[in-house]
Amino acid sequence: MPTRILIVGAGGREHALAWKLSAEPGVNEVFVTPGSDGIAALPRVRRLADVPPVDGPSVVAAARAIAAELVVIGPETSLAAGVADALTAAGTAVFGPSVAAARIESSKAYCHEIAAAAGVSMARAGAFQQRGPGRAFARELHEGGARVVVKADGLAAGKGVRVCDDLDEALDAVDAAVADGPIVVEERLEGPEASLIALTDGRDVLALPLARDHKRLADGDTGPNTGGMGAISPLPDLPDESIADLLARFHRPILAELARRCSPFRGALYAGLIVTDRGPVLLECNARFGDPETQAILPRLATPLGPLLLAAAKGRLAAAARSLDCVGDRLLTIPGASVAMVLASAGYPEAPRTGDPITGLDAAEATGALIFHAGTARDPDSGPARDLDAGPGAYRTAGGRVLTVVGRGVDLDDARSQASAAADLISFPGVQRRHDIGRPPLAVSAVLAGGRAGTRG
Ligand code: AMP
Ligand code: GLY
């Protein structure tokens, strides 16, 4: 049981982790670096604002200074920068993979290579550094009757993917993406998506409940791809009972292949799946907890998370899972559902505007919904003269995804109503939000058609 935990990161996912871990029995204090004012408002949570989250030696020094028994790494940028390696070398327990293992996320071409070696099903794809061969492969897919997806090979905060409708768009996407670096060109698959995140010590796995992200900016899965505009858990069309089968198809073979290559993976292995006519297929792996999936998932857990993260970090996950009575390969959940809605700033994802005053946070929280901060900051100069509604110390927008509002309920509809009612109370100029998260597909069509369902949030 870790009593002092350091979380690396500053977003909604890290706020949800701090909320969950700081409330667990035996945890005395949670620190978050760099954290945010919103995260630091939690009881027993402090921020270390001056520690850069991508600088291994600084994070090691911070972990030592606060005598952290466990460091939990949130963002992929910290993993790719070697923060977990630095902590491991310093003898600090860290939940998060090495640079070598995190390459499963930081290079989409490497993810395809591992999946192929492990016999895991992914979309047909090619990796390219030059425009000509990339275009030729897009044409080949098109001539074979497939549509095309073009991806930046490296990390792009969820925004490096163009899902194309026709060949011209695909060729344009190849030209645009290859100008910035290596790319992957893929066959476009159709079907509902699912995120399955498993805690692992490199050998054993323990899955969080299934969730679904909503990557497109606008209702009905339209508009550009984003980092994620909302999440639901559980899924109406893929029960948590399918988890054992999914772990056997995806997580276990990938972990075995990474171990075989001497880069065992310790941390959260996230499989982004699409359920096609020919069964579930892997779209991507992430080397960390998803955002906003984590905000929807953590409120559903019936067990403490800290002991499991520490056990995974120390290579003893199976024993810890047994001691918490986890049955099979899954964490225990409480009955019910969660719906997480992201409120994004004006201009997101292309050019997020910052500095807009946010109002209604207290009223939204009073509804019982959970409010997790991502791109917010307290305005040091704010005062009644500048921000009559919000008053001194008011929050302003400070990033693309600003807040995640999470509703909980007996089912998805109930959870959606709570999230929606709370989100309705929060406002800032230019706020962008989806209104179909957690709605059944029929109701989504009504939203798109501008029907009554669309006006109720
Ligand atoms: P990724 O970062 O690779 O998961 O891609 C982000 C999002 O783009 C996914 O969640 C899907 O919505 C979409 N996407 C990626 N690859 C494909 C594909 N091969 N077919 C259809 N949609 C895709
Ligand atoms: N929700 C997708 C991600 O975390 O990358």
Side-chain angles (χ1 to χ4, degrees):
M1 175 83 63
T3 60
R4 296 167 76 75
I5 302 172
L6 174 63
I7 298 171
V8 177
R13 165 185 53 209
E14 289 77 20
H15 193 167
L17 284 163
W19 168 82
K20 169 79 178 148
L21 293 168
S22 64
E24 294 184 348
V27 176
N28 291 332
E29 207 159 16
V30 170
F31 297 82
V32 191
T33 174
S36 68
D37 298 322
I39 298 176
L42 285 166
R44 289 194 288 171
V45 175
R46 277 206 269 162
R47 72 181 294 209
L48 305 172
D50 297 333
V51 181
V54 290
D55 183 53
S58 300
V59 176
V60 167
R64 281 212 178 112
I66 61 163
E69 286 150 274
L70 172 69
V71 180
V72 180
I73 299 184
E76 61 276 21
T77 45
S78 299
L79 298 168
V83 173
D85 306 66
L87 288 159
T88 302
T92 302
V94 54
F95 183 83
S98 64
V99 173
R103 215 173 143 220
I104 192 94
E105 170 169 9
S106 62
S107 165
K108 290 186 188 291
Y110 184 65
C111 181
H112 275 280
E113 182 187 322
I114 295 290
V120 163
S121 165
M122 287 191 81
R124 203 143 60 92
F128 304 96
Q129 312 231 13
Q130 279 162 354
R131 182 169 173 261
R135 283 179 146 243
F137 186 64
R139 265 207 186 85
E140 187 186 317
L141 288 173
H142 173 74
E143 279 156 17
R147 289 191 288 176
V148 173
V149 178
V150 179
K151 303 180 175 183
D153 179 60
L155 297 178
K159 287 160 264 176
V161 175
R162 278 270 298 275
V163 180
C164 304
D165 287 324
D166 56 42
L167 181 62
D168 285 344
E169 189 184 352
L171 297 177
D172 283 351
V174 168
D175 293 354
V178 89
D180 292 331
I183 60 168
V184 168
V185 178
E186 269 181 28
E187 171 189 11
R188 176 173 168 179
L189 302 174
E190 304 291 340
E193 291 182 42
S195 308
L196 182 57
I197 302 167
L199 314 180
T200 177
D201 57 8
R203 187 184 51 236
D204 291 303
V205 285
L206 194 60
L208 301 174
L210 281 157
R212 174 168 298 145
D213 189 8
H214 294 67
K215 292 258 169 53
R216 301 292 196 104
L217 180 68
D219 285 350
D221 290 329
T222 56
N225 257 359
T226 68
M229 292 298 291
I232 61 170
S233 181
L235 304 184
D237 45 13
L238 190 62
D240 281 345
E241 285 66 38
S242 47
I243 284 177
D245 174 52
L246 296 173
L247 291 172
R249 285 173 191 248
F250 299 102
H251 299 69
R252 290 187 195 283
I254 286 171
L255 290 170
E257 180 60 24
L258 288 174
R260 200 184 64 75
R261 294 182 183 220
C262 299
S263 45
F265 187 106
R266 280 188 180 170
L269 181 61
Y270 166 132
L273 306 173
I274 188 162
V275 185
T276 70
D277 292 346
R278 61 173 212 262
V281 175
L282 180 69
L283 286 183
E284 66 163 343
C285 275
N286 291 328
R288 52 174 173 82
F289 291 112
D291 187 339
E293 289 95 326
T294 303
Q295 294 92 303
I297 288 171
L298 296 190
R300 296 195 56 221
L301 298 185
T303 59
L305 191 60
L308 294 169
L309 302 187
L310 183 62
K314 293 191 163 176
R316 298 200 287 258
L317 184 61
R322 272 196 304 277
S323 72
L324 288 172
D325 292 331
C326 294
V327 272
D329 307 325
R330 282 193 267 155
L331 268 89
L332 296 175
T333 51
I334 52 176
S338 309
V339 170
M341 293 180 184
V342 169
L343 307 190
S345 57
Y348 179 74
E350 285 88 11
R353 190 173 74 199
T354 57
D356 287 315
I358 304 169
T359 59
L361 288 169
D362 291 341
E365 206 144 22
T367 64
L370 297 165
I371 315 293
F372 295 124
H373 288 243
T376 72
R378 260 188 207 276
D379 184 350
D381 304 326
S382 73
R386 289 187 50 196
D387 182 1
L388 284 172
D389 263 351
Y395 285 102
R396 288 180 182 266
T397 61
R401 290 190 291 174
V402 176
L403 296 157
T404 313
V405 179
V406 182
R408 293 164 290 178
V410 293
D411 56 21
L412 283 172
D413 202 41
D414 195 24
R416 185 193 58 75
S417 299
Q418 190 190 56
S420 193
D424 284 346
L425 294 168
I426 300 174
S427 72
F428 48 88
V431 57
Q432 301 190 79
R433 143 186 174 210
R434 281 181 64 160
H435 291 83
D436 59 349
I437 315 280
R439 281 186 191 280
L442 201 63
V444 174
S445 330
V447 170
L448 280 178
R452 279 184 54 233
T455 58
R456 283 186 291 121

